[in-house]
Amino acid sequence: MKDIIIYTQPQCPPCEFAKNYFRSYGFQFIEKNIAKDPQARKELMHKYDAYSTPTIIIGSEVIVGFDQERINKLLSIQ
Protein backbone atom coordinates (compact mmCIF):
# COMPACT_ATOMS: atom_id res chain seq x y z
CA MET A 1 0.00 0.00 0.00
CA LYS A 2 1.21 3.49 -0.83
CA ASP A 3 1.96 5.91 1.98
CA ILE A 4 -0.49 8.80 2.26
CA ILE A 5 0.42 12.16 3.80
CA ILE A 6 -2.07 15.02 4.09
CA TYR A 7 -0.90 18.55 4.83
CA THR A 8 -3.72 20.33 6.65
CA GLN A 9 -4.57 23.40 8.71
CA PRO A 10 -7.42 24.29 11.09
CA GLN A 11 -10.68 25.65 9.71
CA CYS A 12 -10.09 23.96 6.33
CA PRO A 13 -13.28 22.20 5.13
CA PRO A 14 -11.53 20.54 2.16
CA CYS A 15 -8.94 19.13 4.58
CA GLU A 16 -11.67 17.58 6.72
CA PHE A 17 -13.39 16.22 3.62
CA ALA A 18 -10.14 14.61 2.42
CA LYS A 19 -9.46 13.00 5.80
CA ASN A 20 -13.01 11.66 6.00
CA TYR A 21 -12.79 10.37 2.43
CA PHE A 22 -9.67 8.33 3.20
CA ARG A 23 -11.18 7.06 6.45
CA SER A 24 -14.36 5.98 4.65
CA TYR A 25 -12.26 3.65 2.48
CA GLY A 26 -10.16 2.42 5.40
CA PHE A 27 -6.93 4.13 4.31
CA GLN A 28 -4.49 5.18 7.00
CA PHE A 29 -2.67 8.46 6.53
CA ILE A 30 -0.23 10.77 8.23
CA GLU A 31 -1.61 14.23 8.94
CA LYS A 32 0.80 17.16 9.05
CA ASN A 33 -0.82 20.32 10.40
CA ILE A 34 1.09 23.29 8.97
CA ALA A 35 -0.37 25.70 11.56
CA LYS A 36 1.02 23.69 14.48
CA ASP A 37 4.19 22.32 12.90
CA PRO A 38 6.59 24.88 11.34
CA GLN A 39 8.73 22.07 9.91
CA ALA A 40 5.68 20.67 8.09
CA ARG A 41 5.00 24.13 6.61
CA LYS A 42 8.60 24.38 5.36
CA GLU A 43 8.42 20.86 3.96
CA LEU A 44 5.18 21.64 2.13
CA MET A 45 6.58 24.78 0.53
CA HIS A 46 10.13 23.69 -0.22
CA LYS A 47 9.91 19.97 -0.89
CA TYR A 48 6.56 19.95 -2.68
CA ASP A 49 6.38 23.56 -3.95
CA ALA A 50 2.83 23.81 -2.58
CA TYR A 51 1.25 26.63 -0.63
CA SER A 52 -2.30 25.48 0.09
CA THR A 53 -4.13 22.77 1.95
CA PRO A 54 -5.01 20.08 1.58
CA THR A 55 -1.92 18.93 -0.21
CA ILE A 56 -1.96 15.16 -0.45
CA ILE A 57 1.05 12.98 -1.09
CA ILE A 58 0.33 9.45 -2.29
CA GLY A 59 3.55 7.54 -2.81
CA SER A 60 5.58 10.00 -4.88
CA GLU A 61 2.56 11.81 -6.36
CA VAL A 62 1.68 15.31 -5.14
CA ILE A 63 -1.95 16.44 -5.30
CA VAL A 64 -2.70 20.05 -4.39
CA GLY A 65 -6.35 20.27 -3.39
CA PHE A 66 -8.81 17.40 -3.35
CA ASP A 67 -8.72 15.81 -6.80
CA GLN A 68 -11.00 12.82 -6.28
CA GLU A 69 -10.49 11.37 -9.75
CA ARG A 70 -6.71 11.35 -9.39
CA ILE A 71 -6.88 10.02 -5.83
CA ASN A 72 -9.19 7.21 -6.92
CA LYS A 73 -6.85 6.28 -9.76
CA LEU A 74 -3.76 6.26 -7.54
CA LEU A 75 -5.46 4.15 -4.86
CA SER A 76 -7.48 1.94 -7.24
CA ILE A 77 -10.79 3.11 -5.78
CA GLN A 78 -13.70 2.19 -8.04
Side-chain angles (χ1 to χ4, degrees):
M1 182 155 115
K2 297 177 183 176
D3 289 333
I4 301 170
I5 301 169
I6 307 175
Y7 289 87
T8 65
Q9 62 184 320
Q11 310 302 312
C12 172
C15 297
E16 291 302 315
F17 184 85
K19 292 187 291 184
N20 288 331
Y21 188 78
F22 288 117
R23 286 182 190 123
S24 74
Y25 283 97
F27 288 105
Q28 303 235 350
F29 55 86
I30 297 166
E31 179 178 3
K32 294 191 177 190
N33 185 323
I34 65 169
K36 294 180 180 177
D37 182 350
Q39 185 59 37
R41 179 186 292 278
K42 286 180 187 176
E43 189 176 282
L44 176 66
M45 294 188 308
H46 299 291
K47 184 175 182 179
Y48 298 111
D49 197 29
Y51 298 89
S52 63
T53 57
T55 294
I56 301 165
I57 315 302
I58 299 175
S60 62
E61 297 289 322
V62 179
I63 303 166
V64 179
F66 185 80
D67 182 341
Q68 185 173 347
E69 185 175 322
R70 192 163 167 213
I71 290 167
N72 288 353
K73 184 176 180 182
L74 289 168
L75 296 175
S76 301
I77 298 172
Q78 300 282 345

